[in-house]
Amino acid sequence: MEGIQGPDEPVYTIGVAARLLGVSPHMLRLLERKGLVEPLRTRKRARLYSQNDLKILGRICRLMKVNGVNVAGVKAILHMEAVMAKEEGKVKSSE
């Protein structure tokens, strides 16, 4: 089935991504500047987001909107989750 995009394929423009997430394009640019997401850039410097990028951004936006976590807190939470997932992977592989 050629032509079907996988979850890591960057296909969503910033406008579409913002609409799907319920935020402004400005917010997505801010999150990029803060180092929370790194969308693919086309030759003309347009940002493209993948389905996985949208999942991460959705998590970030929920942490900020619902839980009131600031950018530094979001970075810390995402880092801790990544470390825990890595450790869980080590434990499962050694069992």
Side-chain angles (χ1 to χ4, degrees):
M1 299 185 91
E2 214 170 303
I4 296 178
Q5 308 303 321
D8 290 319
E9 187 70 29
V11 295
Y12 301 100
T13 63
I14 193 167
V16 172
R19 191 169 52 247
L20 290 170
L21 293 165
V23 299
S24 68
H26 174 75
M27 176 63 141
L28 295 181
R29 287 187 211 97
L30 174 69
L31 295 175
E32 181 184 358
R33 278 195 305 275
K34 297 294 183 176
L36 291 171
V37 68
E38 189 175 341
L40 177 91
R41 292 293 193 114
T42 65
R43 282 188 207 151
K44 293 185 178 184
R45 305 289 298 151
R47 293 168 177 86
L48 292 177
Y49 297 87
S50 70
Q51 188 65 41
N52 285 336
D53 290 334
L54 295 183
K55 285 182 184 179
I56 293 167
L57 285 164
R59 173 105 170 96
I60 291 167
C61 291
R62 281 189 300 281
L63 285 169
M64 294 176 83
K65 285 182 181 178
V66 176
N67 302 102
V69 179
N70 64 18
V71 171
V74 169
K75 283 183 178 181
I77 290 168
L78 295 177
H79 175 74
M80 289 170 52
E81 289 176 345
V83 168
M84 290 173 57
K86 192 174 185 179
E87 290 299 317
E88 285 179 11
K90 287 180 184 177
V91 170
K92 287 181 183 177
S93 66
S94 67
E95 290 178 349

